[in-house]
Amino acid sequence: MAEKIRQILSDSPRARWTALLIVSFTMMMGYFITDVMSPLEVLLTKTTADGGLGWSSSDYGFFAGSYSYINVFLLMLFLGGIILDKLGIRFTGLMSCSFMVIGVIIKYIGVSTNFGNEHFTISAINFDIPMSVAVASLGFSIFGMGCEICGITVSKIITKWFNGHELALAMGIQVALSRLGTAAAMMISLPVAKAFHDKVSAPVLLGAVLLIIGALSFFVYNVMDKKLSRSVEEAGRKESNSPEEPDESEQFRFKDLGLIFSNPGFWCITLLCMLFYSGVFPFLKFATKLMVANYGVSERFAGILPGLIPFGTIFLTPLLGTIYDKVGKGATLMLIGSIILTVIHIIFALHILPYGWFAVIIMIILGIAFSLVPSAMWPSVPKIIPMKLLGSAYAIIFFIQNIGLALVPVLIGKVNDYDPSYTTSMSIFAGFGVAAVIVATLLLIIDKKKNYGLQKANIKK
């Protein structure tokens, strides 16, 4: 048995960490594009005479939510999980990268083309938005479809290479590198735009170039994946949820989805994911303007403060992942992170100490919460779902998460049109935090009853 284990490529630390860095780089470039326009609301909402695109807060909210429209309303993310389990990692990864590149090109056309006063209108439902919003949103929707499918693919890749090894640490590093892409977008997009005379298209073009490089790197990973599959075949083992004890049947069957839908722990993690991320990612979309309006921060530095949230996760998420790997307490980590999220949004809603220095402190603390939950949540899924269904499981989680990412920005954009003080919108975010605390507590209770092992260490001794 020892000889066979050595023959498997994923048992080589150098090989599995190299594979991780390659796919993490692809996701990092994807996350850069995801938030490349988040700090640009202050420019997008300026009038065309002042060099902006003349978008309203509602227009910006519609655009921010468009990331998830195809995933949610056309069920593409759910279908993407089935494609992943049926057709495999290599095909799904290249497909999703292609969607990302196509989407960002359309998005660039939307923000770089002068459409004049042309609008996209659907009279039957009284829907009317500027054409630049419509085109940019179409591109962002296609990109979002690719990025989310790529995300579930990468999650399955990491489980494939790190099961029985440093799984939580590996997922933590992948999340950290993705957050590095987010932090870079939050911190440099506005300065880049201003360097090119307030051109919103400049940072988008930069992101498009970086994304193409990231997509090409996935071809390199596919070569490694083929070598891994070959080594597994030569060792006479199956790629399963347990390297030592393969499942009797590894073929995906639609009826097996019942194992996911009937799992209470899975639904707790899914709801926690939606609630927690609804309190973070949509907040980042509006946080730059919040810093200007409520904390007296200049436009030049306003994007840097929200960037502290993902930047902090770069260091903390791998650290917390290591703790989960060696000590356990995954459900506890998720509960603590949810509590911190709730407290921070309550502080924002109450306008406590409206000074720039205090905004820095609470952003850093929010970054801690943003590290606690993902570092424990994503590595917990393989503990309750078999490997052959992991792609579908992650797809369902991402699908429900995307419902929040699609609808919450639209809601916040409309609320901010009527309450520019951000009191109402921050109260909504705090409500998501309270609900997340309730679900995380329920998960802790269910784990004790069902013995999923969420409180146990990941590394097998």
Side-chain angles (χ1 to χ4, degrees), residues 153-171:
T153 304
V154 168
S155 295
K156 188 166 185 176
I157 287 171
I158 296 173
T159 303
K160 180 178 181 180
W161 285 80
F162 284 87
N163 207 343
H165 300 288
E166 315 90 343
L167 180 59
L169 174 60
M171 287 193 170

Side-chain angles (χ1 to χ4, degrees), residues 122 127 141 158 249 326 351 371 378 381 409 434:
I122 303 177
F127 180 79
S141 294
I158 296 173
S249 174
K326 296 182 177 180
H351 295 183
S371 302
W378 299 120
V381 179
V434 171

Side-chain angles (χ1 to χ4, degrees), residues 268-269 271-277 279-280 330-346 365-366 368-374 376-377 429-443:
C268 282
I269 291 177
L271 290 175
L272 177 61
C273 178
M274 182 189 70
L275 293 167
F276 183 82
Y277 281 126
V280 177
T332 301
L333 292 174
M334 288 184 262
L335 176 59
I336 295 172
S338 300
I339 292 172
I340 295 175
L341 174 73
T342 305
V343 172
I344 292 302
H345 283 317
I346 290 174
I365 297 174
L366 184 54
I368 295 174
F370 200 26
S371 302
L372 281 162
V373 174
M377 180 168 58
F429 285 132
F432 288 127
V434 171
V437 170
I438 295 172
V439 174
T441 303
L442 183 61
L443 177 62

Side-chain angles (χ1 to χ4, degrees), residues 295-377:
Y295 290 89
V297 180
S298 67
E299 287 186 6
R300 182 172 295 274
F301 297 105
I304 295 178
L305 294 187
L308 293 174
I309 297 176
F311 192 76
T313 65
I314 296 168
F315 304 101
L316 289 175
T317 308
L319 174 62
L320 294 167
T322 300
I323 293 173
Y324 189 16
D325 279 330
K326 296 182 177 180
V327 180
K329 306 298 181 184
T332 301
L333 292 174
M334 288 184 262
L335 176 59
I336 295 172
S338 300
I339 292 172
I340 295 175
L341 174 73
T342 305
V343 172
I344 292 302
H345 283 317
I346 290 174
I347 291 174
F348 277 128
L350 297 178
H351 295 183
I352 297 174
L353 294 177
Y355 304 105
W357 62 267
F358 186 66
V360 171
I361 293 174
I362 54 181
M363 284 293 190
I364 291 174
I365 297 174
L366 184 54
I368 295 174
F370 200 26
S371 302
L372 281 162
V373 174
S375 67
M377 180 168 58

Side-chain angles (χ1 to χ4, degrees), residues 141-223:
S141 294
I142 295 172
F143 166 83
M145 173 178 61
C147 192
E148 292 295 295
I149 294 175
C150 190
I152 62 175
T153 304
V154 168
S155 295
K156 188 166 185 176
I157 287 171
I158 296 173
T159 303
K160 180 178 181 180
W161 285 80
F162 284 87
N163 207 343
H165 300 288
E166 315 90 343
L167 180 59
L169 174 60
M171 287 193 170
I173 289 176
Q174 187 271 312
V175 169
L177 291 175
S178 295
R179 300 295 180 258
L180 179 60
T182 299
M186 298 297 296
M187 292 183 173
I188 73 172
S189 290
L190 192 55
V192 168
K194 286 189 170 295
F196 287 87
H197 308 290
D198 288 353
K199 281 192 175 295
V200 172
S201 58
V204 177
L205 179 60
L206 170 63
V209 173
L210 294 174
L211 179 62
I212 290 172
I213 296 172
L216 291 174
S217 71
F218 202 90
F219 283 91
V220 179
Y221 168 76
N222 272 5
V223 174

